[in-house]
Amino acid sequence: MTRVATRNAVARIAVGLLAASVVAVLAGCAGSGSGTNDGPGASTPTSATPTAGSLHGSITVFAAASLKQTFTDLAARFEAENPGTTIELNFAGSSDLVTQITEGAPADVFASADEKNMSKLTDAALIDPAAPVDFATNVLEIAVPPTNPAGITSFADLAAPGVKLVVCAPQVPCGAATVAVEQASGVTLSPVSEESSVTDVLGKVTSGEADAGLVYVTDVKSAGDAVKGIEFPESSGAVNTYPIAVVKDSAEAEVAQAFVDYVTGSVGQSVLADAGFGAP
């Protein structure tokens, strides 16, 4: 073989090796973790969402007094499903909670027993106006001691002379609902006491200090045999809607939002329904 032929053969081999290398490099790039593929069955990348066990942090939830039983249960379930989280619960009348948050109390989530008190925080720019989500409804029911000493059978009976009636203060959601029922029915009540939360009203009845109290259906149910519940048709005219939202300055916004999602999700809605709450 001549020198020219030998050089040509070597050149052809070099070109072939170079082409093979280029093909291999391109194939490697196509199979690298770029996250994109145009072929059938290719997956599209999605934004990361919290999964069970991935959350870490401690939050404080401010919730209406009527949510004490359900939120205590839901907080325990949430923590069990997310071992890296801790939930502190603060229960009181919704108006009192608004005052606390407005004055700087550290809250990550607020759950109100009405939309009016939630609006106070959105108006104060402490909660994003688009954040609140309705998660439950509730209506009033008359609670009396098991023996019903005053013989209460209707809403009008609460206005009878000598009846020791206890209600929520007007600025509290259960009190606002009471006023609405009074106005709609034309019945004027003369309570012996106005309390700052629905649980305080229930306490007056269970202790025997009152003949009757206006509380929520859920409070009567949670009290069990300690009280007797008396439904009245006028209550349908004052249905309370419960919203929940993450507070703007939350230092643990991801955990806070996850808890909100938990309350509004299937587990939360099941627990609330079992307690007597209506759907939002």
Side-chain angles (χ1 to χ4, degrees):
M1 182 180 295
T2 65
R3 292 182 181 178
V4 174
T6 300
R7 285 198 297 270
N8 289 342
V10 171
R12 284 195 298 271
I13 293 171
V15 170
L17 290 174
L18 179 60
S21 298
V22 171
V23 170
V25 170
L26 291 176
C29 290
S32 66
S34 63
T36 58
N37 258 324
D38 294 330
S43 60
T44 301
T46 56
S47 58
T49 56
T51 57
S54 67
L55 292 171
H56 295 275
S58 178
I59 62 171
T60 301
V61 176
F62 279 40
S66 53
L67 295 167
K68 184 172 184 177
Q69 180 179 349
T70 52
F71 269 42
T72 299
D73 183 4
L74 287 173
R77 292 177 184 233
F78 184 86
E79 289 177 339
E81 293 182 22
N82 301 276
T85 64
T86 302
I87 297 179
E88 298 292 334
L89 298 168
N90 178 31
F91 298 104
S94 296
S95 58
D96 287 342
L97 295 175
V98 167
T99 299
Q100 293 174 34
I101 295 173
T102 302
E103 292 179 350
D108 299 284
V109 174
F110 175 52
S112 175
D114 68 351
E115 295 171 307
K116 180 179 179 181
N117 278 289
M118 179 63 77
S119 294
K120 291 178 182 178
L121 293 185
T122 57
D123 291 345
L126 295 174
I127 287 178
D128 189 323
V133 180
D134 296 338
F135 67 94
T137 55
N138 217 345
V139 294
L140 294 177
E141 187 170 356
I142 301 168
V144 299
T147 59
N148 194 7
I152 304 296
T153 61
S154 67
F155 183 75
D157 288 344
L158 298 177
V163 172
K164 292 184 290 184
L165 172 67
V166 179
V167 300
C168 292
Q171 66 269 24
V172 182
C174 60
T178 298
V179 172
V181 172
E182 281 187 87
Q183 294 174 342
S185 65
V187 175
T188 301
L189 303 178
S190 300
V192 297
S193 176
E194 294 182 345
E195 304 297 324
S196 61
S197 74
V198 69
T199 50
D200 290 339
V201 174
L202 190 65
K204 293 282 188 180
V205 177
T206 57
S207 67
E209 296 178 59
D211 295 323
L214 278 168
V215 297
Y216 293 120
V217 169
T218 52
D219 297 300
V220 172
K221 187 171 183 177
S222 66
D225 296 334
V227 300
K228 177 182 179 181
I230 300 170
E231 298 180 354
F232 57 98
E234 295 91 342
S235 66
S236 63
V239 178
N240 277 29
T241 298
Y242 286 56
I244 186 171
V246 176
V247 178
K248 268 189 177 181
D249 291 337
S250 171
E252 297 288 351
E254 183 180 24
V255 178
Q257 185 60 55
F259 183 72
V260 170
D261 294 342
Y262 195 72
V263 171
T264 58
S266 58
V267 175
Q269 291 300 290
S270 176
V271 169
L272 289 161
D274 287 345
F277 286 94

